[in-house]
């Protein structure tokens, strides 16, 4: 069984890598679509990407979740670890409701936010559709 220090080290490594990727692609997006985004505003936003995962009530559940995924190869929840799915779902809901890079953040009624435990990437798909729709709308307004 892994120690807390091992899990925490992996979480920080993996999350820092993820944040670096988000920042890298945000810069590419800002550079590739001049006028669509305020580069300074976008980069300031992504500089704080996933900060909440390093704070309560998200920190411990995300450390455990990241470790679980490392153990199961990101294929479900075969290695439950030391935290319940309910605790993970609560941390995930807190994250998406309070992080502006998730569509659930923008809901008027945050109670409408829900996480499908069978499809945790659903929010990513929604964000991609949102960004694509925003891009198409801005192109249509130029005509």
């Amino acid at each position: 069984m892994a120690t807390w220090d091992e899990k925490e080290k992996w979480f920080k490594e993996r999350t820092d890598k993820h944040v670096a990727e988000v920042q890298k692609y945000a810069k590419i997006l800002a550079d590739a679509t001049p006028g669509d985004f305020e580069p300074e505003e976008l980069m300031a936003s992504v500089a704080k990407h996933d900060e909440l995962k390093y704070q309560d009530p998200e920190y411990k559940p995300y450390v455990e979740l990241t470790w679980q995924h490392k153990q199961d190869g990101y294929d479900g929840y075969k290695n439950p670890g030391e935290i319940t799915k309910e605790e993970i779902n609560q941390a995930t809901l807190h994250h998406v409701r309070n992080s502006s890079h998730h569509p659930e953040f923008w809901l008027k009624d945050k109670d409408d936010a829900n996480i499908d435990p069978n499809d945790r990437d659903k929010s990513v798909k929604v964000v991609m559709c949102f960004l694509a729709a925003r891009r198409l709308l801005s192109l249509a307004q130029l005509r």
Side-chain angles (χ1 to χ4, degrees):
M1 176 155 268
T3 66
W4 174 256
D5 289 344
E6 289 174 285
K7 293 175 182 181
E8 194 172 38
K9 181 180 178 210
W10 175 249
F11 166 77
K12 289 177 180 178
E13 209 174 284
R14 196 246 174 240
T15 303
D16 288 349
K17 182 179 177 184
H18 166 71
V19 170
E21 289 288 303
V22 168
Q23 292 170 347
K24 173 181 151 185
Y25 288 108
K27 174 118 177 60
I28 290 169
L29 179 66
D31 291 346
T33 56
D36 283 357
F37 299 96
E38 294 295 329
E40 296 83 15
E41 186 180 326
L42 179 62
M43 296 315 292
S45 172
V46 299
K48 297 179 179 185
H49 184 82
D50 280 353
E51 276 186 346
L52 286 178
K53 288 182 180 177
Y54 286 92
Q55 302 168 21
D56 286 332
E58 296 180 20
Y59 188 67
K60 184 181 178 201
Y62 271 100
V63 168
E64 290 290 343
L65 177 63
T66 305
W67 185 256
Q68 285 177 16
H69 283 321
K70 180 180 184 186
Q71 299 306 300
D72 65 23
Y74 295 86
D75 183 26
Y77 295 89
K78 297 175 187 166
N79 298 295
E82 297 180 22
I83 196 163
T84 67
K85 282 186 181 181
E86 181 57 29
E87 289 171 296
I88 290 170
N89 285 339
Q90 288 306 309
T92 304
L93 276 172
H94 182 273
H95 183 74
V96 301
R97 289 174 174 164
N98 294 283
S99 300
S100 63
H101 60 274
H102 288 280
E104 294 87 351
F105 173 86
W106 301 100
L107 292 172
K108 288 182 182 176
D109 183 356
K110 303 279 187 183
D111 290 334
D112 287 344
N114 200 358
I115 300 298
D116 181 347
N118 299 313
D119 189 1
R120 289 194 170 278
D121 290 331
K122 188 182 246 179
S123 347
V124 173
K125 295 169 191 166
V126 170
V127 169
M128 296 309 292
C129 290
F130 171 76
L131 290 174
R134 179 178 170 181
R135 179 72 177 139
L136 289 172
L137 180 60
S138 73
L139 289 173
Q141 291 171 341
L142 292 174
R143 293 176 185 209

